[in-house]
Amino acid sequence: MLQKPRNRGRPNTQAERERDWGRGAAEEAPSTSRGAGGSQEARGTSSQGGRRAEASPEVGPRSQQQLELKVAELVQFLLIKDQKKIPIKRTDILKHVIGDYKDIFPDLLKLAAERLEYVFGYKLVELEPKSNTYILINTLEPVEEDAEVRGDQGTPTTGLLMIVLGLIFMKGNTIKETEVWDFLRRLGVYPTKKHLVFGDPKKLITEEFVRQRYLEYRRIPHTDPVDYEFQWGPRTNLETSKMKVLKFVAKVHNQDPKDWPAQYCEALADEEARARPETGGPTPSS
Amino acid sequence: MEEGRAERRRRTEAPSCTQGGARRAGIMTDVHRRFLQLLMTHGVLEERGVRRLQKHCYRVHGRTAAVEELEDFINNINSVLESLYIEIKKGATEDDGRPVYALVNLATTPVSKMASDFAENELDLFRKALELIIDSETGFASSTNILNLVDQLKGKKMRKKEAEQVLQKFVQNKWLIEKEGEFTLHSRAILEMEQYIRETYPDAVKTCNICHGLLIQGQSCETCGIRMHLPCVAKYFRSAPEPRCPHCNDYWPHEIPEVFNPDKEREAGTSKANKKPSRSRQH
């Protein structure tokens, strides 16, 4: 009964339904590129009055609604991708969302970025200049009580990340992997042992945090046995600051940030550099 | 469930944005943004939780004095979300009529939220379960029937044991509800996918005679076959001495459930688990 193809000019055959189904923000061609004609009326028999608009970009000037729809798809795509904390590649954006609208990509991205910031409070930022990858930064300060009203658990791994970031900064912005484990062992976290909260700590620190661009993980040449070093990744500099991390470390030790004069000076200098007006912004380089 | 529906219909059918952005949309402040950010961490949230979330956001931004009425607060945000083709949609659980809210997509295919969390074969398993649920008389599909379709799945081959775990994943992520080895749609799935379901299965879909919304679980008249959601039955027959079918006037043969009362529940301190231990399959 459900398999009977229906031809009403809408994708309702089995094959089309399956194709529609599998199509997600991260999958095939965007919905505005399918279907016939840029119809603008509300479709279907839905008494909910839901608006299901489609647009075709092939011929002629694009309507205001088609553009709006494209920006909406882009916003949703960015939100979903950022949830995984993996930087979003421009090539993925072009492939999965922009499609035929490539000629106006910079405008679409700019509009999407504006909406993201105005509506959700997320700023679209390029990870590093000319990297063509983006992340979302929260313009709202997270508050402890947020945890009580969240639907997810946040990330329990954030604690471990903060510790590693603290270690790196306090040791002069770079630290050897062996030193990291020497410290973490004292907290009951081992590279080779499964951890109740963190699962596989080695994988988390050397792979996950690196993939999310919180850490840089580089091999130190000419070391035997092979050793690696950690530094802050580009996302860390965008999401937090030396002063914030120093304050975290101080809190953990129940001391004052000024008790580490060298690091405190460095953090202050960093604050001053940040306070200077930004040159340019997260505008996409086309 | 009927309240607000007429307004919503009017609002979503209003003409889309005019040139020059002269839209009479609401204003977003950090209170609204935090609310949206945190609401997005829930797939679906009960009204009680939504109110708590609203109060939290006002508190964080130091504005505890004038907490706006929830419906106005949400309508305000929705007027801003309109241009992004998303909406904070209000619905109700089908079993006991609890009001629930979810941030749903109005434009792109509804499974995009699922698509980022599940593999191709897992999505196909959900689709198969969805079809069985919609086709069923009771709104429930048995685990056995779903698992028997495992060989027909697209993508990587999935064994039945694995499929069982995937079904549990759907339950954990609030796409399906499980009761005694059978599965039905979670209110989250209904809110997110109602439009998609109506458009894709127009012949198989069942609707409620009272609210005209999509119906998965409910009661039906044994004479004329019309169906009603349990909470719609509760409201319609509230304090009716002799319940009769609104369509054919025959005696309504099923037990009339109680209207959901949030205050009563709070007082009694009952949890949802304690209410209605048996499933109301009254078809």
Side-chain angles (χ1 to χ4, degrees):
Chain A
M1 177 187 38
L2 289 170
Q3 320 301 321
K4 208 191 303 174
R6 278 166 274 270
N7 285 314
R8 290 189 211 145
R10 286 225 66 235
N12 263 330
T13 62
Q14 178 71 353
E16 282 161 329
R17 208 182 309 133
E18 287 177 17
R19 190 192 62 214
D20 280 5
W21 180 267
R23 185 173 301 143
E27 244 109 66
E28 305 156 25
S31 61
T32 50
S33 306
R34 70 171 153 86
S39 164
Q40 301 203 1
E41 77 270 7
R43 289 181 187 278
T45 53
S46 169
S47 66
Q48 286 274 334
R51 229 175 2 170
R52 190 80 187 279
E54 293 181 28
S56 99
E58 309 103 3
V59 287
R62 296 145 178 154
S63 75
Q64 182 75 9
Q65 193 191 27
Q66 286 169 326
L67 294 173
E68 221 181 42
L69 195 50
K70 217 17 126 172
V71 172
E73 280 179 35
L74 184 48
V75 165
Q76 213 215 351
F77 181 79
L78 293 168
L79 281 172
I80 291 180
K81 279 288 186 180
D82 186 72
Q83 239 181 17
K84 315 273 174 198
K85 288 286 169 240
I86 310 292
I88 310 150
K89 295 203 199 98
R90 206 217 288 189
T91 45
D92 282 341
I93 299 175
L94 286 166
K95 180 171 160 207
H96 295 295
V97 184
I98 305 296
D100 294 336
Y101 288 67
K102 208 178 348 177
D103 53 317
I104 51 165
F105 169 69
D107 297 311
L108 289 176
L109 196 64
K110 183 156 166 273
L111 283 169
E114 277 170 18
R115 295 267 89 200
L116 273 170
E117 189 162 357
Y118 179 69
V119 178
F120 295 94
Y122 290 124
K123 205 159 152 182
L124 181 72
V125 180
E126 209 168 346
L127 199 56
E128 280 161 311
K130 301 251 192 290
S131 63
N132 289 335
T133 50
Y134 304 93
I135 57 170
L136 296 183
I137 305 288
N138 200 346
T139 60
L140 303 176
E141 277 295 329
V143 161
E144 264 183 59
E145 291 82 18
D146 280 345
E148 294 162 31
V149 288
R150 291 189 77 94
D152 53 20
Q153 291 319 309
T155 21
T157 52
T158 316
L160 184 62
L161 174 62
M162 278 307 272
I163 292 171
V164 175
L165 292 177
L167 273 175
I168 294 170
F169 175 54
M170 301 309 275
K171 281 284 192 169
N173 300 310
T174 187
I175 189 175
K176 294 209 196 85
E177 184 175 358
T178 38
E179 292 178 276
V180 170
W181 293 115
D182 284 341
F183 182 86
L184 290 178
R185 264 188 205 100
R186 289 190 254 154
L187 303 175
V189 180
Y190 303 87
T192 45
K193 213 162 91 169
K194 194 164 155 115
H195 192 271
L196 248 91
V197 176
F198 308 126
D200 184 341
K202 167 115 177 148
K203 193 159 179 228
L204 187 58
I205 296 176
T206 62
E207 289 180 33
E208 185 96 357
F209 289 158
V210 175
R211 198 171 349 129
Q212 295 172 341
R213 313 301 265 115
Y214 286 110
L215 297 178
E216 298 273 23
Y217 183 57
R218 273 188 272 263
R219 185 178 153 167
I220 307 172
H222 314 303
T223 47
D224 184 29
V226 178
D227 202 357
Y228 295 80
E229 64 182 12
F230 285 103
Q231 288 172 342
W232 281 17
R235 188 193 278 268
T236 300
N237 281 306
L238 290 169
E239 286 194 8
T240 187
S241 68
K242 289 178 177 175
M243 188 56 84
K244 285 195 185 134
V245 172
L246 179 60
K247 284 188 174 152
F248 169 79
V249 172
K251 192 162 152 202
V252 163
H253 286 89
N254 214 6
Q255 288 178 251
D256 189 273
K258 297 198 184 87
D259 293 344
W260 292 272
Q263 284 86 351
Y264 188 71
C265 279
E266 199 182 329
L268 266 183
D270 182 58
E271 289 296 288
E272 277 166 32
R274 281 164 187 271
R276 267 181 247 129
E278 284 177 334
T279 47
T283 47
S285 43
S286 53
Chain B
M1 215 182 348
E2 299 95 316
E3 76 275 1
R5 190 175 286 258
E7 281 96 351
R8 252 180 285 128
R9 201 180 304 141
R10 244 178 276 132
R11 195 163 28 86
T12 51
E13 281 175 357
S16 62
C17 75
T18 57
Q19 292 289 6
R23 215 172 309 164
R24 235 180 301 134
I27 306 290
M28 292 297 282
T29 67
D30 279 351
V31 174
H32 302 98
R33 292 181 190 111
R34 189 173 294 265
F35 178 82
L36 258 186
Q37 283 190 15
L38 292 169
L39 182 64
M40 282 196 298
T41 64
H42 298 264
V44 63
L45 186 57
E46 268 184 50
E47 190 166 74
R48 200 175 36 184
V50 175
R51 287 190 194 279
R52 210 172 129 225
L53 179 58
Q54 184 198 18
K55 283 200 185 78
H56 163 81
C57 295
Y58 273 95
R59 213 182 308 130
V60 169
H61 294 277
R63 293 174 44 199
T64 39
V67 174
E68 202 178 0
E69 175 58 41
L70 184 65
E71 190 175 337
D72 297 323
F73 183 76
I74 290 186
N75 284 344
N76 177 41
I77 297 176
N78 275 340
S79 67
V80 177
L81 294 178
E82 196 172 337
S83 66
L84 289 175
Y85 292 79
I86 50 182
E87 173 184 51
I88 301 173
K89 200 164 159 193
K90 181 177 178 180
T93 55
E94 279 192 322
D95 52 3
D96 55 3
R98 265 158 215 279
V100 290
Y101 295 79
L103 189 65
V104 304
N105 213 334
L106 298 174
T108 54
T109 56
V111 288
S112 46
K113 266 182 212 154
M114 285 192 85
S116 61
D117 287 332
F118 296 100
E120 187 187 358
N121 58 0
E122 294 173 330
L123 289 176
D124 210 34
L125 181 68
F126 184 81
R127 194 181 130 261
K128 292 268 186 284
L130 176 67
E131 284 183 2
L132 285 176
I133 289 168
I134 291 170
D135 258 348
S136 75
E137 241 320 282
T138 60
F140 282 83
S142 74
S143 173
T144 318
N145 289 346
I146 299 172
L147 295 175
N148 280 339
L149 301 173
V150 143
D151 292 324
Q152 299 173 26
L153 295 181
K154 287 192 284 181
K156 199 169 135 206
K157 189 157 173 62
M158 191 192 292
R159 282 164 295 126
K160 280 195 183 168
K161 206 80 185 114
E162 196 187 330
E164 274 176 2
Q165 288 173 349
V166 175
L167 287 176
Q168 287 312 312
K169 216 164 117 185
F170 291 145
V171 171
Q172 276 156 34
N173 284 282
K174 300 191 186 164
W175 296 108
L176 294 178
I177 295 173
E178 185 190 357
K179 272 195 182 132
E180 296 160 21
E182 298 200 318
F183 294 89
T184 188
L185 294 186
H186 197 287
S187 55
R188 180 189 191 182
I190 295 176
L191 276 173
E192 295 243 22
M193 300 176 187
E194 169 161 4
Q195 211 175 325
Y196 169 82
I197 291 172
R198 280 172 176 271
E199 287 171 0
T200 315
Y201 308 104
D203 298 340
V205 128
K206 304 172 186 79
T207 54
C208 174
N209 190 263
I210 302 295
C211 72
H212 307 294
L214 174 69
L215 184 143
I216 302 289
Q217 290 180 63
Q219 293 179 351
S220 66
C221 175
E222 279 163 8
T223 313
C224 66
I226 60 124
R227 297 170 192 268
M228 299 202 276
H229 290 118
L230 294 164
C232 293
V233 167
K235 279 203 195 111
Y236 187 76
F237 289 130
R238 187 183 352 206
S239 59
E242 206 181 83
R244 290 190 164 273
C245 171
H247 190 252
C248 70
N249 211 38
D250 228 10
Y251 180 68
W252 192 259
H254 309 291
E255 183 187 330
I256 311 297
E258 273 188 31
V259 176
F260 176 72
N261 187 344
D263 298 317
K264 199 194 281 184
E265 185 179 83
R266 219 180 299 137
E267 278 169 41
T270 49
S271 69
K272 189 177 179 189
N274 294 341
K275 280 176 110 185
K276 291 173 84 81
S278 62
R279 187 189 341 123
S280 332
R281 284 169 79 182
Q282 291 160 344
H283 291 266

